[in-house]
Amino acid sequence: MSSRLEAEQLYKVFGRRPDEAVDRLREGADREGLRAEGTTAAVIDASFTVDPGQIFVVMGLSGSGKSTLLRMLNGLLEPTAGHVRFDGQDLTALSDRELRAVRAQKISMVFQHFALFPHRSVLENAAYGLAVQGVPKAERVERATEALELCGLKGWEKSWPDELSGGMQQRVGLARALATDADLLLMDESFSALDPLIRRDMQDQLLQLQKTLKKTIVFITHDLNEAMRLGDRIAVMRDGRIVQIGSAEDILVRPADDYVASFTKDVDRSRVLTASAVMDTDVSGATADCGCADDCETATPDTPFTELCAMSARSGHPVAVLDAKHRLVGVVAQERLIGFLGDAESAQEAAHA
Ligand SMILES: Nc1ncnc2c1ncn2[C@@H]1O[C@H](COP(=O)(O)OP(=O)(O)OP(=O)(O)O)[C@@H](O)[C@H]1O
Ligand SMILES: [Mg+2]
């Protein structure tokens, strides 16, 4: 499909002789050595693709290179090496003018602190990107009104930004991005400044919108739970490198290294995991019809973790996992559930949730 985003072996080096630094990184030089010379390798050899309709989350500690990576995706920063392709076009090969045009038409950014114009109405703020595109006034009003409605701000068009709460202001930012009809949305910690409940709301709203709009979205966050909720795929960055790309479940259950594992220690596993990820697939010696059918609870591979906890607590037996043809494909013992949660207390909580 055309509006796929591709990053190919992207590098961004700040400081002295960046090209030479890239060559040295390719030959195995390490980032710390370069730093000692006053050169920062902010992004090292990043490659990935994002298909239309996907939310690709980039997470990592502060300074790991997330924002630098994002800015290269829309050409705000020129990569030291590598390519960015969007909608079949190599953005890295465009002139500044062509790039500005692509940015105005196809790419929108939403930042952490969305800068609204204080002396323009909510509607004018939402229509700003369209004004930049040169869209005629009547159409601007129509599209911005529609985008505000999508973001739950119907009725607020004539208000001033300072009459809105922080969460609502952030929604105006989202509406501005959506109004332009850009296919690629780049979101840098867009929800991080919001308090937790509003943040959850915004996440839900984005997921809801995405179901119909099917944009190509790159979403940066520090927050693993946010990453797990939103990301179809998640890239974890460490010291400029992408150390793992995978689904929420991959990152949790099959972390590429100790760094990723430590990152995921605190996540609320119960929301992400399903029986297929936690079951013991060695079912030799067990049968679906083990004789305690009245006590045994059965699940499917898609049964969520919290439900498994509840079943296991109810029956006191391992939960049998059956496929669509009622064949036994795995068993989940309570010890196993507890192992995934880290401690018994949270298993109890999950069981009673
Ligand atoms: N313009 C610049 N000049 C020099 N160094 C820079 C520049 N921009 C970023 N860096 C450095 O590149 C590295 C990556 O920074 P970046 O802002 O991409 O990290 P981040 O993952 O977005 O961090 P945060 O979570 O704090 O936003 C850091 O070491 C930073 O100091
Ligand atoms: Mg950043």
Side-chain angles (χ1 to χ4, degrees):
M1 204 146 155
S2 62
S3 48
R4 162 188 286 188
L5 174 71
E6 283 177 87
E8 188 189 306
Q9 299 180 332
L10 280 179
Y11 285 78
K12 184 69 191 178
V13 175
F14 295 106
R16 292 188 307 131
R17 296 199 287 275
D19 295 326
E20 191 189 305
V22 168
D23 289 340
R24 286 170 56 196
L25 286 163
R26 284 188 176 130
E27 286 159 11
D30 92 331
R31 190 183 189 245
E32 290 319 305
L34 290 171
R35 197 188 277 284
E37 298 167 25
T39 302
T40 304
V43 174
I44 304 168
D45 197 16
S47 299
F48 56 87
T49 59
V50 189
D51 287 325
Q54 266 198 346
I55 302 182
F56 184 78
V57 169
V58 181
M59 58 170 301
L61 298 177
S62 185
S64 57
K66 306 179 297 293
S67 296
T68 305
L69 176 63
L70 198 74
R71 286 195 205 109
M72 287 194 282
L73 299 178
N74 73 349
L76 274 179
L77 271 180
E78 191 186 345
T80 312
H83 295 273
V84 176
R85 294 192 189 83
F86 183 63
D87 210 1
Q89 236 174 349
D90 186 344
L91 302 192
T92 26
L94 300 180
S95 68
D96 285 354
R97 199 156 143 232
E98 290 167 322
L99 195 56
R100 272 198 300 277
V102 169
R103 250 199 321 262
Q105 301 294 334
K106 296 186 182 168
I107 308 177
S108 274
M109 262 186 120
V110 186
F111 300 96
Q112 177 169 358
H113 293 285
F114 207 83
L116 299 178
F117 301 106
H119 302 299
R120 295 192 191 181
S121 69
V122 163
L123 182 71
E124 285 167 334
N125 267 289
Y128 176 76
L130 297 171
V132 171
Q133 286 179 1
V135 172
K137 176 126 194 247
E139 189 183 337
R140 275 198 323 252
V141 170
E142 191 187 319
R143 282 167 59 184
T145 306
E146 238 176 63
L148 285 168
E149 189 175 347
L150 275 179
C151 295
L153 288 170
K154 191 177 165 66
W156 292 88
E157 297 82 356
K158 295 205 176 82
S159 307
W160 302 108
D162 68 2
E163 297 174 273
L164 271 54
S165 69
M168 290 161 89
Q169 290 185 20
Q170 200 63 10
R171 271 188 240 179
V172 179
L174 187 58
R176 183 189 287 176
L178 296 177
T180 61
D181 236 354
D183 294 324
L184 177 59
L185 283 188
L186 303 176
M187 307 182 72
D188 194 348
E189 304 267 5
S190 298
F191 303 154
S192 303
L194 304 173
D195 62 48
L197 282 181
I198 297 173
R199 189 170 180 168
R200 284 290 293 257
D201 260 6
M202 289 295 290
Q203 291 164 358
D204 288 341
Q205 199 134 22
L206 183 67
L207 288 170
Q208 197 60 37
L209 286 169
Q210 178 67 344
K211 274 190 201 154
T212 48
L213 299 177
K214 300 200 190 315
K215 306 275 186 193
T216 307
I217 299 179
V218 181
F219 191 104
I220 288 182
T221 183
H222 271 93
D223 182 295
L224 188 65
N225 280 312
E226 183 166 77
M228 299 275 161
R229 285 197 82 210
L230 295 179
D232 294 301
R233 290 196 310 141
I234 299 168
V236 183
M237 286 188 84
R238 178 190 197 178
D239 299 338
R241 293 181 191 275
I242 295 180
V243 290
Q244 184 166 7
I245 297 183
S247 65
E249 205 169 289
D250 290 334
I251 303 278
L252 270 184
V253 185
R254 293 171 285 277
D257 60 19
D258 289 348
Y259 172 79
V260 180
S262 71
F263 224 108
T264 60
K265 221 172 55 226
D266 299 329
V267 76
D268 183 353
R269 282 153 197 255
S270 53
R271 275 204 215 110
V272 193
L273 297 176
T274 59
S276 62
V278 299
M279 68 192 185
D280 185 352
T281 51
D282 180 11
V283 292
S284 55
T287 63
D289 186 15
C290 63
C292 61
D294 291 337
D295 299 319
C296 260
E297 298 260 359
T298 58
T300 68
D302 291 329
T303 302
F305 189 90
T306 41
E307 231 169 277
L308 292 170
C309 290
M311 287 175 171
S312 147
R314 260 197 317 262
S315 72
H317 288 272
V319 179
V321 184
L322 307 181
D323 68 11
K325 292 186 175 148
H326 291 275
R327 285 179 305 217
L328 183 69
V329 289
V331 285
V332 187
Q334 191 158 41
E335 298 78 54
R336 211 169 161 84
L337 294 169
I338 291 169
F340 271 94
L341 275 167
D343 63 57
E345 205 180 340
S346 23
Q348 287 288 321
E349 273 170 28
H352 296 119

